[in-house]
Amino acid sequence: MSTATSLEAALEPIRADPARAAVLLDVDGTLAPIVRHADDAHVPEPTRSVLIAVSRKYPVTACVSGRRAAIARRIVSIGSISYVGNHGAELLRAGRTEPELDPEFAAAGERVRAFRDEVWRDDARLQRLRVRGEDKGEIAAFHWRGAPDEAVAEAAVQEVAAHAEAAGLVAHWGRKVLEVRPPVHVDKGAGIARLLAGVDVDTAMYVGDDTTDLDAFRGLRALVAQGRLESALCVGVRSDETPPELEREADLLVDGPAGVRSVLEALL
């Protein structure tokens, strides 16, 4: 389903009644192109402008990210929409300044922070190999994208993952990143369900590019199976790093952030 006709047909349930549709989007690799250094990520202004127009037409518009909700909002630079952050652990509602945080996840995050500090104190190899840390509060991320020798850096990060799991924490892999998480279940699908609880919508669309976005796909389909939604559209974003599972489970595939912008334009 990559032709314009197929896109129009796939979006018809969403476009039929914008007031009763939710538009949900991942950030990195979806709205914002993947960059070597995570701190450099931003949503291009043409995409941001279209997203603003979409949010005015579709009252339930939100970004769903593995980053902290406040960081995702800074990258997107739109304060009038909601943000689900830290893979579902945070919910920053439109116009609010403080996110709602899962209390069990927050408490368990202390263990992750202690582990992160121990790793950076005791394993000097990571810095020599140019592995970069990202502090997500309750999640610690280790990036090796752009390291001088990515294979060697990844091997070192694999050891960090083994150490984390031995300590009873959760190792989760993304595109050239390891996330060490608390042993408390959160995912994008559960975060979306929390966002949509009590919201009167019939259909929802989710757009994402990575393995964590599969949880969002499955979460929306579970809401359909439960009768909480009438339909859901799951859009995968293709790149040279697209997980095979994402291609298999997507209802529709588009090419990169430029393809996502085309989807947003079609919603208008």
Side-chain angles (χ1 to χ4, degrees):
M1 295 179 64
S2 58
T3 67
T5 301
S6 297
L7 176 61
E8 293 290 324
L11 291 178
E12 185 52 35
I14 309 292
R15 296 175 6 150
D17 190 350
R20 300 186 64 81
V23 177
L24 312 167
L25 305 112
D26 173 47
V27 178
D28 291 281
T30 298
L31 290 171
I34 293 292
V35 291
R36 178 171 293 189
H37 299 291
D39 290 345
D40 294 334
H42 71 283
V43 175
E45 188 56 33
T47 301
R48 181 176 171 275
S49 296
V50 176
L51 183 57
I52 290 172
V54 167
S55 70
R56 289 172 177 163
K57 184 172 182 178
Y58 296 81
V60 185
T61 297
C63 290
V64 184
S65 178
R67 295 181 187 256
R68 302 186 78 169
I71 299 300
R73 184 165 65 180
R74 178 180 61 76
I75 293 169
V76 178
S77 296
I78 302 175
S80 58
I81 65 176
S82 296
Y83 294 84
V84 177
N86 262 354
H87 300 289
E90 295 182 337
L91 174 55
L92 182 55
R93 298 186 187 274
R96 302 281 182 86
T97 58
E98 293 294 330
E100 303 165 20
L101 182 60
D102 181 290
E104 186 180 0
F105 191 81
E110 293 294 336
R111 292 174 56 193
V112 174
R113 286 188 282 273
F115 173 84
R116 176 201 64 205
D117 293 345
E118 175 188 341
V119 167
W120 288 115
R121 183 183 67 244
D122 297 343
D123 194 344
R125 292 178 309 155
L126 297 178
Q127 296 181 51
R128 290 200 305 270
L129 294 171
R130 307 282 180 85
V131 173
R132 298 183 308 282
E134 181 184 1
D135 180 5
K136 297 185 176 185
E138 289 71 31
I139 295 176
F142 299 82
H143 298 264
W144 66 91
R145 182 182 299 278
D149 189 327
E150 288 190 348
V152 173
E154 181 180 2
V157 174
Q158 290 274 4
E159 293 182 22
V160 173
H163 183 190
E165 290 177 337
L169 301 174
V170 175
H172 193 282
W173 299 95
R175 291 169 58 175
K176 299 189 179 181
V177 60
L178 163 70
E179 289 185 342
V180 176
R181 302 180 180 182
V184 176
H185 180 74
V186 294
D187 64 44
K188 289 185 175 183
I192 287 171
R194 185 178 172 195
L195 170 70
L196 297 181
V199 177
D200 197 12
V201 295
D202 297 325
T203 186
M205 176 185 75
Y206 184 84
V207 188
D209 73 307
D210 205 350
T211 53
T212 59
D213 297 308
L214 292 169
D215 294 323
F217 286 4
R218 294 163 186 166
L220 282 185
R221 288 168 177 153
L223 293 179
V224 173
Q226 296 162 14
R228 293 173 59 186
L229 291 176
E230 293 178 4
S231 65
L233 175 65
C234 300
V235 181
V237 184
R238 275 189 297 228
S239 72
D240 56 2
E241 298 176 359
T242 305
E245 300 91 338
L246 191 82
E247 294 202 15
R248 288 196 297 268
E249 295 197 26
D251 300 315
L252 174 73
L253 289 166
V254 298
D255 292 321
V260 176
R261 184 164 65 247
S262 296
V263 172
L264 295 175
E265 290 169 344
L267 287 174
L268 299 172

